[in-house]
Amino acid sequence: MNTLQYRADGPEDAPVLVLGAALGTTWHMWDRQIPELTRHWRVIRFDLPGHGGSPAHAASSIAELADRLVATLDALGVDRFGYAGCDIGGAVGTQLALTRPYRVTSLALVSSSPRYGTADAWRQRGVVVRTNGLDPIARTAPEHWFTPGFAGAQSAIVEWAVQMVRTTDPGCYIAACEALAAYDVRSSLGRVGVPTLVVAGSEDQVTPTTDARTLVAGIPGASLALVPGTSHLTPVEQPSAVTELLIRHFTTAWHDKPGPAGPAVLGAPAAKPQLASPLPQAPPAAIESGLTAPEQAGGGAYEAGVKIRREVLGDAHVDQVEAATDDFTAEFQRVLTRYAWGETWSRPGLDRRTRSIVTLTALVARGHQEELALHTRAALRNGLTPAEIKEVLLHTAVYCGIPAVNSAFAVAQRVIREETTPEG
């Protein structure tokens, strides 16, 4: 449970290069890089929990995934290694560079970001998977991963991609969504001290080129490679271009001690990237300026309350509340955040699913329909299924009355339809 399923290829006495796959894929996404990479390195690929044939032992955070990878490498006797990761695999690589820089010789981040979308979007995706399974995500994967031209010409690869997602363990996929919801290293990028290459597909809408430029601006000495006409799974769509970029980076940046190379942009025809002009780097402060510093009022309970309130109710709701707060309501919001969220919802005696059940029942009893809609969404985020919410309302009808629950069903039905309808 503390290690990951892996595959090793290449000479046993060669330096080690570790490859991390994207969410919903397996180590096979790197298959077309292996013949060339194994001429230079011992290549170790790993599967995320519940992906491919790996055991379904879910990991709750990117840090835990990084710990499991390190435990796997320790078991193999691997001390230092280069690392290239795509999507969530890139997040694992960044985590390793931040927490174990003495292990990582150099880093390549492919289709990666310091913050993947929004926490709300990831938590809603978890709700959709919990309700509908992975089939809706699988069916839409090709349009997010590949350009239309590639998808139209490569039907076998498209079907392979759909089957990879469809056969992933739903619980592990949901846990990965939660891990990405909590992942945000924008303020830490300046501490990445290993030579870093950032690779981005020019048509990627999942991790757009703005995300890549944020990484390059924040990581000292990082270089950017733009692969034209390519979407999110760049190693699959343009294998030769990515292979050449990785070989060039790891053969020139493989040092026993950290020493970032000078910044450069790579961009040319996808089949043969070439060096171009340097990318102007913005100071890390410019990237971090959009981050909201935790408010100090109320101490630790208040700060904990802000975090839990956002996790349960969503960033969009809390942002809306904060935008509407003025001098008249500010003190009440501080008390609410500290007492309800920082001191009550944080207590260890009940888990969040149970607290959601209690909250739904109380709101039905008091007829607070606006709050009921908000906490129905929260209940879905906290792991209740629509079937379980229905049972809560049926049970509540016995003790709170049919009219109250009749109204509650209408509210809950609307929210559940909104939250569990897959995109597209």
Side-chain angles (χ1 to χ4, degrees), residues 16-18 66 69-70 73 78-85 92-109 192-196 249-250 253-259:
V16 172
L17 177 61
V18 178
L69 176 56
V70 168
L73 296 173
V78 175
D79 181 28
R80 291 175 62 76
F81 53 90
Y83 184 94
V92 172
T94 305
Q95 180 73 18
L96 289 170
L98 287 169
T99 60
R100 294 174 174 86
Y102 49 89
R103 303 288 296 268
V104 182
T105 63
S106 48
L107 180 66
L109 304 176
V192 175
V194 299
T196 301
H249 174 66
F250 286 111
W254 197 286
H255 303 307
D256 287 335
K257 59 182 179 179

Side-chain angles (χ1 to χ4, degrees), residues 11-31:
E12 293 186 3
D13 58 348
V16 172
L17 177 61
V18 178
L19 302 180
L23 177 61
T25 75
T26 70
W27 63 44
H28 289 295
M29 67 160 284
W30 294 104
D31 278 354

Side-chain angles (χ1 to χ4, degrees), residues 199-285:
V199 180
S202 64
E203 307 304 315
D204 188 355
Q205 300 301 310
V206 179
T207 49
T209 55
T210 52
D211 289 2
R213 293 182 186 278
T214 300
L215 287 168
V216 171
I219 298 173
S223 299
L224 174 65
L226 293 176
V227 184
T230 309
S231 190
H232 190 58
L233 283 195
T234 313
V236 176
E237 191 163 358
Q238 292 289 351
S240 297
V242 172
T243 301
E244 183 173 342
L245 286 166
L246 295 182
I247 291 174
R248 184 186 306 182
H249 174 66
F250 286 111
T251 54
T252 59
W254 197 286
H255 303 307
D256 287 335
K257 59 182 179 179
V265 175
L266 296 101
K272 193 169 181 65
Q274 296 180 356
L275 288 170
S277 58
L279 174 72
Q281 290 201 23

Side-chain angles (χ1 to χ4, degrees), residues 285-338:
I287 303 302
E288 299 168 15
S289 61
L291 298 177
T292 302
E295 186 173 344
Q296 297 302 314
Y302 176 83
E303 293 174 3
V306 170
K307 180 176 182 293
I308 294 171
R309 193 180 189 186
R310 286 186 174 275
E311 290 173 352
V312 174
L313 299 183
D315 289 333
H317 170 77
V318 177
D319 289 344
Q320 185 178 24
V321 169
E322 290 181 350
T325 299
D326 56 19
D327 290 342
F328 184 72
T329 60
E331 188 172 350
F332 170 72
Q333 287 298 326
R334 284 195 294 271
V335 170
L336 173 64
T337 301
R338 184 176 65 249

Side-chain angles (χ1 to χ4, degrees), residues 16-237:
V16 172
L17 177 61
V18 178
L19 302 180
L23 177 61
T25 75
T26 70
W27 63 44
H28 289 295
M29 67 160 284
W30 294 104
D31 278 354
R32 296 174 75 182
Q33 278 72 45
I34 297 303
E36 288 298 318
L37 294 183
T38 51
R39 294 175 59 190
H40 306 268
W41 296 282
R42 176 73 166 170
V43 178
I44 296 176
R45 293 177 282 172
F46 66 93
D47 274 338
L48 296 167
H51 289 59
S54 65
H57 300 310
S60 60
S61 67
I62 300 299
E64 184 177 349
L65 285 172
D67 289 344
R68 291 193 195 178
L69 176 56
V70 168
T72 304
L73 296 173
D74 286 346
L76 293 171
V78 175
D79 181 28
R80 291 175 62 76
F81 53 90
Y83 184 94
C86 180
D87 186 78
I88 193 174
V92 172
T94 305
Q95 180 73 18
L96 289 170
L98 287 169
T99 60
R100 294 174 174 86
Y102 49 89
R103 303 288 296 268
V104 182
T105 63
S106 48
L107 180 66
L109 304 176
V110 182
S111 302
S112 299
S113 174
R115 180 174 185 253
Y116 293 78
T118 67
D120 285 354
W122 284 111
R123 293 191 177 106
Q124 183 172 6
R125 184 183 294 195
V127 169
V128 170
V129 174
R130 192 176 290 112
T131 305
N132 303 285
L134 274 165
D135 188 64
I137 304 295
R139 285 187 281 106
T140 59
E143 66 190 63
H144 297 300
W145 286 355
F146 308 122
T147 57
F150 180 87
Q154 301 288 342
S155 58
I157 292 179
V158 168
E159 179 58 27
W160 162 81
V162 170
Q163 289 303 318
M164 270 196 305
V165 180
R166 190 171 280 151
T167 55
T168 299
D169 177 77
C172 289
Y173 190 97
I174 292 169
C177 290
E178 290 291 333
L180 288 170
Y183 178 78
D184 186 350
V185 294
R186 289 175 293 176
S187 63
S188 303
L189 292 177
R191 294 193 292 106
V192 175
V194 299
T196 301
L197 170 69
V198 178
V199 180
S202 64
E203 307 304 315
D204 188 355
Q205 300 301 310
V206 179
T207 49
T209 55
T210 52
D211 289 2
R213 293 182 186 278
T214 300
L215 287 168
V216 171
I219 298 173
S223 299
L224 174 65
L226 293 176
V227 184
T230 309
S231 190
H232 190 58
L233 283 195
T234 313
V236 176
E237 191 163 358

